[in-house]
């Protein structure tokens, strides 16, 4: 045996999930390990025809209080926490407590219960006490005890049993202990956040169990990691490994298409998180062509997203252009076969357009957290403030435009006509500069601005934007309002026969 190796001779098994447990139990039995268990796990082992000792025979007490107390006893925890040195071993012998060399636990599914239940009594009963205590005790004593803290560790533990015949090295035990505290810390944070919801105790506690190492961060010299369950939102159908920048753009694409997920086929093209093409049409291929026409230059190497199943005709058009990622709710098989031929292109089947209700980012020596901007304006949110009311067609265009401008970096301006983003200005220190950029883009790609509408992510402090927009042919404007000089812009609209509506909602994006 290697220095510090320990042979597993006894194991306490108390798990919620039995999936994948049987091979471990059978292997432990083959290795001559004495098994201890209680409740449903004990019954499971007995049904496998494998000898198991009830924990009650150690403690002298049955499971009580509807199963709330089963293993919480010195006869159990003494065997886990005893250092394998003479003073501790003598005490175990004095009180007839067996050494416990291994603990296998899978906790009650607290987070899963919270996700599907609003019943406090049901949720409370899924707060595991004995299991967490067993894990922490075994992990604390990792120099002598092996801890398997969740079903996710079953494969690793089974491999150790197979390859090392029940022996474990200090490195093995320490790694399992590390994983154990990862499990318990995540569990405690989930419980705290449930109890803390709706209170005035503001605390930043987030725990994301899953992580994937990225090729690199925002730039090749930066390391990057994604913490989250990507597969919960997407099926990755093809393509290279997803990068940090891909993830940032994919997030922006999903947030934008969430605004357009219902209704006629829609397509959006994003570059560096900004929408540079958005269009809605009766047929998907036409939506694609209209979105591409918005800014065919910026579309190169972009992120494409749609609300509609991709057919072969659309795939053939998309395939003419280089892109990083294509996101859709589904793909016809012939379309998928075609798109997969370019092996580096990332194809994602989106399962849900759900967006986290809270967002956070690191700043200075801390973190800022806020509610996500989930407001989607409807006609009921529009307050006409000019003499001329917007026409029904203008109302539709204004609602389309405000959805687009919401997803542009501030200062942002979106110009829309016929269910198509025809000009966009973003990331400018001046709103006037953003408008001029939007007009220049529209004109550069051959769009007629006469009859177009304009959306601004924030209010107009001066009438200059209205004046510039009118000269370009824009007839209606949507903006939050709220400036002390709102009336100046309203009057400028009235003088030019333009319609303006306010929403009372600003959409800054930094």
């Amino acid at each position: 045996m290697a220095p510090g190796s320990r042979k597993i001779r006894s194991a306490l098994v108390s798990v919620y999930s039995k999936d994948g447990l049987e091979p471990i139990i059978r292997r432990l039995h083959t290795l001559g390990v004495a098994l201890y268990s209680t409740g449903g796990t004990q019954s499971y082992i007995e049904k496998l025809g494998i000898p198991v000792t009830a924990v009650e025979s150690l403690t002298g007490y049955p499971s009580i209080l509807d199963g709330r107390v089963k293993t919480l006893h010195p006869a159990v925890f003494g065997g886990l926490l005893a250092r394998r040195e003479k003073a501790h071993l003598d005490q175990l012998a004095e009180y007839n407590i067996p050494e416990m060399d291994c603990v296998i636990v899978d906790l009650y599914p607290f987070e899963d219960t919270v996700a599907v239940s609003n019943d406090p009594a049901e949720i409370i009963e899924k707060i595991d006490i004995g299991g967490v205590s067993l894990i922490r005790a075994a992990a604390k004593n990792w120099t002598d005890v092996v801890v398997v803290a969740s079903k996710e560790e079953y494969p690793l533990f089974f491999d150790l049993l197979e390859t090392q015949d029940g022996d474990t090295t200090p490195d093995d035990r320490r790694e399992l202990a590390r994983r154990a505290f990862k499990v318990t810390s995540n569990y405690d944070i989930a419980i705290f956040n449930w109890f803390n919801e709706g209170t005035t105790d503001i605390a930043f506690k987030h725990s994301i169990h899953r992580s994937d190492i990225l090729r690199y961060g925002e730039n090749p010299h930066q390391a990057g990691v994604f913490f989250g369950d990507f597969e919960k939102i997407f099926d990755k159908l093809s393509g290279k490994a997803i990068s940090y920048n891909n993830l940032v753009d994919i997030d922006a694409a999903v947030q934008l298409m969430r605004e357009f997920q219902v209704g006629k086929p829609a397509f959006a093209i994003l570059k560096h998180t900004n929408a540079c093409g958005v269009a809605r049409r009766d047929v998907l291929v036409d939506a694609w062509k209209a979105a591409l026409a918005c800014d065919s230059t910026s579309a190169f190497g972009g992120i494409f997203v749609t609300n509609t199943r991709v057919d072969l005709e659309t795939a053939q058009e998309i395939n003419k252009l280089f892109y990083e990622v294509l996101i859709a709710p589904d793909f016809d098989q012939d379309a998928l076969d075609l798109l997969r031929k370019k092996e580096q292109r990332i194809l994602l089947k989106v399962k849900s357009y759900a967006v986290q209700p809270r967002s956070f980012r690191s700043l200075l020596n801390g973190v800022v957290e806020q509610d996500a901007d989930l407001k989607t304006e409807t006609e009921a949110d529009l307050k006409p403030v000019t003499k001329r009311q917007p026409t029904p067609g203008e109302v539709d265009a204004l609602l389309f435009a405000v959805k687009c401008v919401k997803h542009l970096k501030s200062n942002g301006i979106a110009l829309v006509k016929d269910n198509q983003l025809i000009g966009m200005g973003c990331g400018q220190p001046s709103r006037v500069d953003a408008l001029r950029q939007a007009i220049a883009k529209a004109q550069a790609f051959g769009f007629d601005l006469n009859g177009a509408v304009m959306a601004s992510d924030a209010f107009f402090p001066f009438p200059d934007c209205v004046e510039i927009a009118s000269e370009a042919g824009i007839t209606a404007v949507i903006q939050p309002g709220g400036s002390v000089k709102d009336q100046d812009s309203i009057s400028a609209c009235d003088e030019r026969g333009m319609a303006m509506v306010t929403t009372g909602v600003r959409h800054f994006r930094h």
Side-chain angles (χ1 to χ4, degrees):
M1 293 175 63
S5 290
R6 293 280 189 271
K7 173 74 74 174
I8 299 174
R9 295 184 174 85
S10 58
L12 172 57
V13 189
S14 179
V15 302
Y16 182 84
S17 174
K18 315 300 188 294
D19 294 341
L21 183 63
E22 181 178 348
I24 291 174
I25 297 299
R26 293 195 181 281
R27 182 60 177 158
L28 289 170
H29 176 60
T30 300
L31 293 171
V33 176
L35 298 176
Y36 297 84
S37 191
T38 186
T41 308
Q42 178 186 339
S43 298
Y44 174 83
I45 296 172
E46 289 172 343
K47 288 177 182 178
L48 295 178
I50 291 174
V52 57
T53 299
V55 168
E56 288 89 336
S57 68
L58 297 179
T59 65
Y61 287 89
S63 172
I64 62 173
L65 306 178
D66 299 320
R68 285 189 168 196
V69 180
K70 290 180 281 193
T71 58
L72 297 169
H73 194 280
V76 174
F77 282 84
L80 287 174
L81 287 166
R83 291 191 293 269
R84 275 35 172 188
E85 58 185 36
K86 186 177 186 305
H88 280 198
L89 294 177
D90 286 348
Q91 289 184 58
L92 293 186
E94 179 181 355
Y95 295 105
N96 197 29
I97 298 173
E99 296 176 36
M100 205 65 68
D101 301 323
C102 175
V103 164
I104 304 173
V105 176
D106 185 66
L107 299 173
Y108 291 160
F110 178 81
E111 290 179 276
D112 292 344
T113 304
V114 170
V116 299
S117 175
N118 292 317
D119 181 3
E122 181 183 5
I123 292 170
I124 286 291
E125 289 308 313
K126 288 300 186 289
I127 298 177
D128 204 314
I129 303 301
V132 172
S133 301
L134 290 170
I135 291 171
R136 291 179 65 86
K140 176 177 179 175
N141 205 23
W142 65 270
T143 54
D144 296 303
V145 178
V146 176
V147 57
V148 181
S150 75
K151 61 184 178 183
E152 280 71 30
E153 317 313 328
Y154 290 177
L156 171 61
F157 182 58
F158 181 72
D159 184 62
L160 290 176
L161 295 176
E162 285 283 276
T163 59
Q164 297 175 194
D165 294 329
D167 287 337
T168 60
T169 68
D171 287 345
D172 296 332
R173 295 191 298 276
R174 194 180 193 286
E175 171 60 17
L176 285 166
R178 182 193 68 79
R179 295 183 181 211
F181 284 117
K182 180 180 178 182
V183 170
T184 58
S185 62
N186 180 77
Y187 201 73
D188 285 342
I189 287 173
I191 294 169
F192 168 79
N193 285 335
W194 180 74
F195 271 100
N196 200 49
E197 187 174 347
T199 74
T200 57
D201 180 10
I202 300 174
F204 183 82
K205 292 184 181 293
H206 290 267
S207 178
I208 302 174
H209 218 27
R210 179 168 177 170
S211 63
D212 292 300
I213 297 175
L214 304 174
R215 297 202 310 270
Y216 50 80
E218 197 163 8
N219 298 291
H221 65 279
Q222 297 170 263
V225 181
F226 172 66
F227 296 95
D229 188 356
F230 190 81
E231 286 75 22
K232 189 174 182 179
I233 304 175
F234 300 102
D235 287 329
K236 185 169 180 280
L237 306 179
S238 184
K240 62 187 177 183
I242 294 172
S243 70
Y244 177 100
N245 291 332
N246 290 154
L247 284 169
V248 173
D249 285 332
I250 289 166
D251 176 67
V254 169
Q255 290 192 46
L256 173 59
M257 193 48 61
R258 172 182 167 273
E259 312 274 2
F260 295 94
Q261 63 179 304
V262 177
K264 293 180 179 181
F267 235 111
I269 300 170
L270 292 91
K271 197 72 172 287
H272 300 297
T273 75
N274 289 299
C276 56
V278 185
R280 197 192 278 282
R281 294 290 185 265
D282 293 330
V283 180
L284 182 62
V285 69
D286 293 337
W288 159 253
K289 291 177 180 178
L292 180 60
C294 299
D295 184 348
S296 55
T297 301
S298 296
F300 181 85
I303 308 294
F304 305 160
V305 60
T306 180
N307 66 345
T308 304
R309 183 186 184 101
V310 174
D311 55 30
L312 179 59
E313 183 181 9
T314 307
Q316 289 170 332
E317 292 297 319
I318 294 171
N319 218 35
K320 296 175 182 178
L321 189 68
F322 168 74
Y323 61 91
E324 284 281 330
V325 183
L326 172 59
I327 306 167
D330 210 344
F331 298 81
D332 286 348
Q333 189 59 51
D334 51 3
L336 187 58
D337 291 342
L338 173 66
L339 295 168
R340 275 177 167 164
K341 290 180 180 179
K342 295 186 176 180
E343 297 178 354
Q344 294 299 301
R345 307 293 183 267
I346 298 169
L347 304 178
L348 299 177
K349 179 179 176 180
V350 63
K351 302 175 185 178
S352 169
Y353 290 102
V355 177
Q356 293 281 8
R358 301 278 291 174
S359 65
F360 57 87
R361 63 191 294 184
S362 59
L363 285 181
L364 302 175
N365 62 347
V367 173
V368 290
E369 185 176 24
Q370 65 172 350
D371 295 332
D373 185 0
L374 301 180
K375 174 65 177 177
T376 299
E377 283 82 359
T378 66
E379 188 171 352
D381 296 307
L382 309 187
K383 177 185 176 183
V385 293
T386 48
K387 295 176 182 177
R388 184 174 79 77
Q389 303 279 305
T391 66
E394 286 174 330
V395 168
D396 289 343
L398 291 168
L399 291 173
F400 191 107
V402 77
K403 290 177 182 179
C404 293
V405 80
K406 174 182 171 183
H407 297 276
L408 297 175
K409 289 290 179 67
S410 300
N411 289 306
I413 292 287
L415 306 180
V416 165
K417 186 177 180 180
D418 298 330
N419 287 321
Q420 183 183 23
L421 178 68
I422 62 173
M424 49 79 75
C426 61
Q428 299 300 311
S430 160
R431 195 159 302 282
V432 169
D433 286 345
L435 174 56
R436 285 177 173 151
Q437 181 188 53
I439 292 172
K441 271 188 170 290
Q443 293 172 341
F445 288 99
F447 289 106
D448 179 6
L449 285 167
N450 287 301
V453 305
M454 173 176 69
S456 174
D457 64 341
F459 63 62
F460 300 114
F462 305 104
D464 45 9
C465 282
V466 169
E467 295 163 357
I468 295 169
S470 176
E471 290 173 5
I474 292 163
T475 60
V477 180
I478 184 169
Q479 55 118 342
S483 169
V484 294
K485 294 186 177 181
D486 271 350
Q487 190 56 51
D488 291 351
S489 294
I490 294 169
S491 297
C493 283
D494 287 337
E495 291 169 6
R496 292 160 176 78
M498 298 170 69
M500 176 182 281
V501 298
T502 60
T503 62
V505 179
R506 189 180 71 186
H507 290 299
F508 268 168
R509 180 174 289 259
H510 291 101

